[in-house]
Structures are given as structure tokens and as C-alpha cells.
């Protein structure tokens, strides 16, 4: 298995992102949380079976199918950033949110106030949002993609989606993981880009490349985990079984 450091160096070079700004963001997040009591994943009391919700075009259908065929109270619900909004629309509050704070922040703050733990990610492009929104959030587990501090953890992961899967597998040690809304195509939704007015639109080239990396990273995770990962999204992911929820009893 390739290390996160390997992927990080390649991603930063490929996108021409600033490592210096990533480091700055990490220390901004660290300083914002200096006077707070740290939250540990060991404090979580969660089911070891989970559903990870991405913000792809299949998300709404997947949410409805999950509601129809599964007892969601038996699962830990992990929302990747903007997927939080889609869950709130059907009256579901996720247990965990994984976010770099570019989803619908009104919804993310609402879910957090209602009990969601939130893995807040620092990177070079979201320093302003860290300063604006971290003071409004509680139950934060801070993350970075660069060097960790005593407060901020590097759990690996590039996009909110693949980072959520990595956290589910390697940090929370989930036994069984259902991937939903993880499409990795050329379409995006208003959940992943709140500023767009259309429910579904075409992704720009940068977003397409990010989704390609997310898929590759999830495939890498699936190859090297003891967790059972299955998929109900509109995608084919190597080493992940596509399943039909109608064949699973509540």
C-alpha cells in the first residue's frame, strides 16, 4: 500500500497546490482549538457498521433506498460535507460529518448543534472558512493533510469523500461500510457545490480530477483494509462489491 505521504506529494504537485499554505492552515486550526477540551474518537459510542454518504448524483436515490430497505438506527451515519444537507432534507441527522467547510454551512452547523461530531479539515484554500466557522462548531476532531500537531491529526485523505472512507476504515475501525452517493463521474450536485442553482451540473476539470483521485484512494483503501466495503452508488470501484439493498432485510 502506498503511504499517504506518497499520495500527498503527487497530489500537491499535480494540482500545483501550496504546501506552505497547507502548513499555515494546520496551525490556524490548531490555534483556534487551543483552549478547547479535545474530542477523541475513542469517546464515540457508535455502531461498527456504517453508511458513508458522498454528494454525487446518486445520493438522493440512495438515501431513499436506504430508508426503504435498512434500519438506519443500526448504522453509524457518516456524511461527506454537503451530503449533510441531503440527509437533513429527509429528517436524518448524521452521527459524523467529514468536511473542509465548503458545503452548506448553515446545514452543517445545524447538524453539529443537533449532535453530529465533525472532522474539520484544514488545507491551504480554506483558511478564511476555518476562522469564520470553527468558532461556531462544537465536537470537532481537527484534521490536516500535512504534518500533524498535538491537536490536529493527519488521518490521510484528499477529498471529503475518500477521507470519510479512510476514517471509517482505519480510525473508527468499522466492520461493515456501505458507500452511497459516491459516483466519481463528470457530474456534480448542489450538495457538493452549494453555490450552483441546478440540482445536477457538469463538473469542471479540476473537480473531475479531484473525483478521480478520490476513487483511486478509496480503491487503495479497499485493497488494504479488514473492513468489508460495499457500494450502492452509481459507480464501479475496484475491490468493492456492488450490492442491491432490496436483498438486505431490515
Amino acid at each position: 500500500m502506498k503511504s499517504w505521504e506518497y499520495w500527498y506529494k503527487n497530489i500537491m504537485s499535480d494540482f500545483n497546490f501550496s504546501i506552505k499554505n497547507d502548513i499555515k492552515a494546520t496551525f490556524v486550526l490548531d490555534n483556534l482549538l487551543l483552549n478547547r477540551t479535545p474530542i477523541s474518537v475513542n469517546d464515540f459510542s457508535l455502531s461498527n457498521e456504517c453508511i458513508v454518504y458522498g454528494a454525487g448524483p446518486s445520493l438522493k436515490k440512495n438515501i431513499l433506498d436506504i430508508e426503504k430497505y435498512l434500519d438506519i438506527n443500526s448504522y453509524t451515519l457518516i456524511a461527506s460535507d454537503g451530503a449533510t444537507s441531503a440527509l437533513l432534507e429527509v429528517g436524518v441527522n448524521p452521527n459524523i460529518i467529514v468536511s473542509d467547510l465548503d458545503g452548506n454551512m448553515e446545514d452543517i452547523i445545524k447538524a453539529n448543534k443537533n449532535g453530529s461530531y465533525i472532522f474539520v479539515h484544514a488545507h491551504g484554500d480554506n483558511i478564511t472558512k476555518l476562522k469564520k466557522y470553527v468558532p461556531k462548531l462544537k465536537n470537532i476532531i481537527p484534521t490536516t493533510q500535512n504534518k500533524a500537531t498535538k491537536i490536529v491529526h493527519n488521518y490521510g485523505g484528499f477529498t471529503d469523500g475518500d477521507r470519510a472512507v479512510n476514517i471509517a476504515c482505519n480510525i473508527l475501525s468499522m466492520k461493515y461500510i456501505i458507500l452511497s452517493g459516491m459516483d466519481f463521474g463528470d457530474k456534480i450536485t448542489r450538495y457538493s457545490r452549494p453555490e450552483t442553482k441546478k440540482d445536477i451540473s457538469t463538473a469542471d476539470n479540476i473537480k473531475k480530477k479531484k473525483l478521480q483521485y478520490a476513487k483511486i484512494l478509496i480503491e487503495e483503501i479497499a485493497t488494504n483494509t479488514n473492513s468489508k466495503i460495499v457500494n450502492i452508488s452509481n459507480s464501479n470501484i475496484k475491490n468493492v462489491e456492488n450490492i442491491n439493498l432490496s436483498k438486505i432485510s431490515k
Side-chain angles (χ1 to χ4, degrees), residues 101-118:
L101 309 181
D102 66 359
N104 183 318
M105 286 308 301
E106 182 178 340
D107 287 343
I108 288 172
I109 291 168
K110 178 180 178 180
N112 178 246
K113 285 182 177 178
N114 288 336
S116 299
Y117 289 94
I118 180 165

Side-chain angles (χ1 to χ4, degrees), residues 110-245:
K110 178 180 178 180
N112 178 246
K113 285 182 177 178
N114 288 336
S116 299
Y117 289 94
I118 180 165
F119 287 80
V120 172
H121 191 65
H123 58 69
D125 290 337
N126 75 341
I127 292 173
T128 299
K129 290 181 179 179
L130 291 171
K131 293 177 180 178
K132 180 177 181 179
Y133 293 117
V134 166
K136 300 179 181 180
L137 296 166
K138 62 181 182 178
N139 294 330
I140 293 174
I141 303 91
T143 66
T144 178
Q145 53 200 28
N146 197 273
K147 187 176 180 180
T149 69
K150 288 183 178 180
I151 295 174
V152 185
H153 312 280
N154 185 343
Y155 291 147
F158 175 45
T159 71
D160 293 318
D162 68 85
R163 191 164 55 256
V165 175
N166 188 57
I167 287 169
C169 288
N170 298 318
I171 307 305
L172 301 178
S173 301
M174 291 290 165
K175 177 182 175 182
Y176 186 73
I177 299 166
I178 299 173
L179 304 183
S180 62
M182 298 273 188
D183 299 324
F184 310 116
D186 61 357
K187 302 296 182 184
I188 58 172
T189 68
R190 62 183 173 87
Y191 301 116
S192 61
R193 290 284 174 86
E195 67 273 12
T196 182
K197 295 180 180 179
K198 295 181 179 179
D199 285 347
I200 298 177
S201 57
T202 300
D204 59 35
N205 289 334
I206 295 294
K207 184 64 175 181
K208 289 177 187 177
K209 188 189 287 190
K210 287 181 177 180
L211 290 171
Q212 290 168 2
Y213 267 109
K215 183 172 184 286
I216 291 168
L217 289 167
I218 290 174
E219 290 174 344
E220 179 91 352
I221 293 165
T223 308
N224 298 275
T225 183
N226 292 322
S227 304
K228 172 68 174 177
I229 307 177
V230 299
N231 180 39
I232 62 170
S233 310
N234 186 26
S235 61
N236 290 307
I237 305 170
K238 291 179 183 178
N239 306 304
V240 175
E241 177 188 0
N242 290 327
I243 64 167
N244 187 335
L245 285 183

